[in-house]
Amino acid sequence: MKFAVIQFPGSNCDQDCIAAINGIAGLHAEYVWHKETSLRDFDAIVLPGGFAYGDYLRCGAIARFSPIMRAVVSDARAGKLVLGTCNGFQILCEAGLLPGALVRNRSLRFVCEMVTTRVEVANSPFMHGCSEGTLLRLPIAHGEGCFFADPETLRQLNRDRQVILRYSDRQGRIVPEANPNGSIENIAGICNHERNVFGLMPHPDRASDARLGSADGAKIFRSMMETINANRAEAGSGPAKQVA
Amino acid sequence: MKAKVIVTPKKTVLDPQGNAVRDAMRHLGMPEVRNVRIGKYLEIDLDGKNVDLEKRLDDLCRDLLSNPVIEEYSIERLSE
């Protein structure tokens, strides 16, 4: 199964994503330069972290107009799984694939630390096998990760269970002290209404090996593989051929 | 044509940068400062001057120069 990792000028977690995905049996990841125009050969798409176009104007504001984004948008609309981490999340919001926006951290500080997040929705396409309340240890590293949405959008996100991850303390309590950036309602990651596009500020790519302090991030990539296999089995074409 | 574009955070969006500057101004002897909002100012030189150009500039203010989820913009047109 083949995952695309998009490289924008200024991406800097593309190698982390490739390493994390290739570390999972059955998955193979390849770089795709942002000037490419097709993602036809890929089963899923990952927008990595970094500072695409130097974060000029706003984070993700210029990257969303890169040629590859037409393919990302059309494949997302067709139901392909799309994951955006950190800067990738910002780009997905700017592109209108996810609601809301990410603004300057309330503290005005760049935060770089390991945080606890709580899974809010069981068995979503990106969190197979995770029950509600599962705690994931994931690193964050951002200056503009404060999630904002207007009250109506926020109501919809909650009503349609699109909030997938919230920052919590180690006991899983959603408290202000566990909120590293001022995100509204401690939101760390959301999906779109169709549930095939997921964006989160934490870095699953930097937490896919226990030697790095946590392997919880690998659950997200593995879950994407399981979802794609399940969708294929349902469509009658059988599970995807495993890549050794 | 020259255009000035001013992009500001919406009133409902927290502006921590503005708050930090407000606090610094108060600290430096200006307790009268009630609020500070920090935005962006863009000076744009364009070839030509017509309704179509202004319309396209307005479109790009909405699509690129600002994010309607969190920001508002205004355009001031200045002839050369």
Side-chain angles (χ1 to χ4, degrees):
Chain A
M1 194 176 291
K2 230 161 71 166
F3 280 30
V5 175
I6 313 294
Q7 284 181 305
F8 297 94
S11 295
N12 68 7
C13 295
D14 39 342
Q15 292 189 34
D16 304 63
C17 286
I18 292 270
I21 296 165
N22 283 340
I24 293 168
L27 287 185
H28 170 68
E30 280 178 22
Y31 296 112
V32 175
W33 183 235
H34 74 119
K35 293 227 165 136
E36 298 291 326
T37 52
S38 169
L39 291 160
R40 202 180 303 120
D41 298 336
F42 295 93
D43 302 293
I45 304 163
V46 178
L47 275 62
F51 300 85
Y53 289 91
D55 275 354
Y56 295 158
L57 203 56
R58 292 178 311 281
C59 306
I62 300 178
R64 70 160 280 212
F65 291 104
S66 272
I68 196 65
M69 287 306 292
R70 275 174 186 268
V72 173
V73 170
S74 64
D75 284 17
R77 301 247 187 267
K80 199 176 275 186
L81 292 189
V82 179
L83 173 73
T85 68
C86 200
N87 192 217
F89 184 14
Q90 295 164 337
I91 296 168
L92 290 175
C93 287
E94 281 283 340
L97 286 174
L98 290 174
L102 294 142
V103 299
R104 185 74 68 94
N105 293 348
R106 191 173 284 224
S107 65
L108 289 173
R109 288 193 198 95
F110 189 95
V111 286
C112 182
E113 59 192 37
M114 190 67 109
V115 297
T116 304
T117 56
R118 192 177 81 180
V119 176
E120 298 291 279
V121 182
N123 291 316
S124 70
F126 296 87
M127 296 279 176
H128 257 210
C130 288
S131 54
E132 198 178 321
T134 300
L135 301 182
L136 303 179
R137 293 282 290 165
L138 298 169
I140 53 167
H142 58 250
E144 281 156 311
C146 174
F147 182 76
F148 172 84
D150 62 58
E152 177 52 29
T153 305
L154 192 61
R155 246 193 311 278
Q156 283 176 21
L157 283 172
N158 282 318
R159 185 196 61 205
D160 298 336
R161 300 184 54 79
Q162 288 171 248
V163 179
I164 303 293
L165 280 181
R166 290 186 207 268
Y167 301 107
S168 78
D169 66 11
R170 294 236 191 186
Q171 284 72 46
R173 291 175 302 204
I174 309 300
V175 290
E177 304 82 73
N179 189 337
N181 52 28
S183 286
I184 205 159
E185 295 186 3
N186 283 38
I187 289 174
I190 57 167
C191 70
N192 61 341
H193 190 262
E194 293 71 27
R195 314 193 83 74
N196 67 308
V197 179
F198 175 42
L200 74 169
M201 284 315 293
H203 281 276
D205 46 309
R206 295 188 193 174
S208 288
D209 187 320
R211 286 171 297 182
L212 299 176
S214 168
D216 289 347
K219 290 179 187 170
I220 293 176
F221 298 115
R222 209 172 288 122
S223 166
M224 290 171 73
M225 175 171 71
E226 288 164 9
T227 299
I228 294 165
N229 276 333
N231 288 347
R232 283 192 183 148
E234 203 172 294
S237 59
K241 219 163 78 184
Q242 301 275 303
V243 180
Chain B
M1 179 176 85
K2 277 194 177 171
K4 289 182 182 179
V5 175
I6 294 174
V7 181
T8 46
K10 278 186 181 172
K11 296 255 181 317
T12 49
V13 177
L14 186 80
D15 177 16
Q17 208 183 175
N19 290 349
V21 171
R22 176 199 62 202
D23 294 348
M25 291 179 78
R26 286 177 179 168
H27 189 68
L28 291 169
M30 200 179 276
E32 296 90 341
V33 175
R34 191 181 287 170
N35 198 21
V36 177
R37 310 283 292 171
I38 298 184
K40 295 187 190 98
Y41 168 68
L42 299 94
E43 256 179 20
I44 304 169
D45 279 341
L46 301 125
D47 285 327
K49 183 181 196 302
N50 56 62
V51 176
D52 172 61
L53 187 60
E54 292 188 11
K55 162 82 172 66
R56 285 187 291 134
L57 177 63
D58 192 63
D59 289 347
L60 275 191
C61 280
R62 186 197 56 220
D63 295 338
L64 173 68
L65 303 184
S66 77
N67 177 346
V69 176
I70 46 171
E71 294 168 326
E72 285 160 352
Y73 66 88
S74 62
I75 307 174
E76 203 179 305
R77 290 164 192 85
L78 306 165
S79 26
E80 209 87 5

